[in-house]
Amino acid sequence: MAVLLLCGVIGSSLFVVTFLIDGLTRPGYHPVRHPVSALALGSRGWVQAANFIVCGLLLAAAAVGILLATDNPLLAAAAGVFGLSLVASGVFPMDPMRGYPPGTPDDTPSTTSRTHQWHDWAGAAVFVSLPITALIATLQSDELLLTVYSGATTAALVALSASFGQAWENDAPRTGLIQRVMIIVGWAWFAVFCATLLP
């Protein structure tokens, strides 16, 4: 069980560190504007694709650890959807758009590929399942600090998700920044939550 829970701590941390470093060192990529998913495009796209898949599998493994530690199948199922949806985000990359990779038109195409649509569905599952996981953790926890932290994270993720959705639709200049804040808030909570369940 401890190894599985550590997968959650490592997977959450590794995912964030990887996309932050990759985004800051990728030619033509603008972290404040472009979403994390765009890093899976271009000649170096394999880095973020692997980040999605490897870390998603680690988080899915953590869901098994959460089940063993809490005996709460609903909580574990939500965490499992979170991890597996992250894997799907790596398997099905988004389409080039909004100036990335370099040379791509700076606008949003009127039509998108089936792969891009699957990526959108996977992304939606990621950003719905994580606040649900945090909400269930809020309701099942008997530790005050963890309850408050999980509840605050749930509220923050819902607000940030709405803000990101609006920014994405309007191609706002800080779309990528909003998404990064949302990911760091959510993934940090998941790592802490798994750590608190360690025996």
Side-chain angles (χ1 to χ4, degrees):
M1 180 179 71
V3 172
L4 294 171
L5 291 170
L6 280 173
C7 285
V9 177
I10 294 169
S12 298
S13 305
L14 181 63
F15 184 82
V16 172
V17 169
T18 299
F19 80 68
L20 286 176
I21 294 175
D22 195 24
L24 288 172
T25 59
R26 185 78 69 93
Y29 181 84
H30 303 288
V32 173
R33 179 194 181 193
H34 294 135
V36 169
S37 292
L39 286 169
L41 304 172
S43 60
R44 222 166 84 182
W46 65 269
V47 174
Q48 180 56 34
N51 194 28
F52 274 130
I53 294 168
V54 172
C55 293
L57 290 172
L58 288 171
L59 298 181
V64 179
I66 290 171
L67 177 61
L68 295 173
T70 66
D71 198 28
N72 188 327
L74 194 59
L75 176 61
V81 170
F82 171 50
L84 293 176
S85 298
L86 205 63
V87 173
S89 297
V91 173
F92 305 111
M94 67 177 287
D95 289 347
M97 61 178 66
R98 299 181 180 180
Y100 193 81
T104 302
D106 200 49
D107 56 4
T108 303
S110 56
T111 59
T112 55
S113 68
R114 182 65 58 86
T115 300
H116 181 91
Q117 293 166 22
W118 288 338
H119 181 85
D120 279 351
W121 281 108
V126 167
F127 293 115
V128 169
S129 60
L130 184 53
I132 289 175
T133 305
L135 176 60
I136 298 170
T138 303
L139 299 175
Q140 70 97 43
S141 176
D142 55 4
E143 296 180 16
L144 179 59
L145 286 178
L146 184 59
T147 299
V148 172
Y149 180 34
S150 298
T153 298
T154 302
L157 289 175
V158 170
L160 287 165
S161 182
S163 179
F164 170 68
Q166 184 177 30
W168 174 259
E169 290 302 318
N170 297 326
D171 190 14
R174 291 181 174 80
T175 300
L177 178 61
I178 295 169
Q179 188 192 43
R180 277 161 174 74
V181 172
M182 176 171 59
I183 290 173
I184 291 170
V185 167
W187 272 241
W189 172 82
F190 194 86
V192 170
F193 180 65
C194 288
T196 63
L197 297 177
L198 286 168

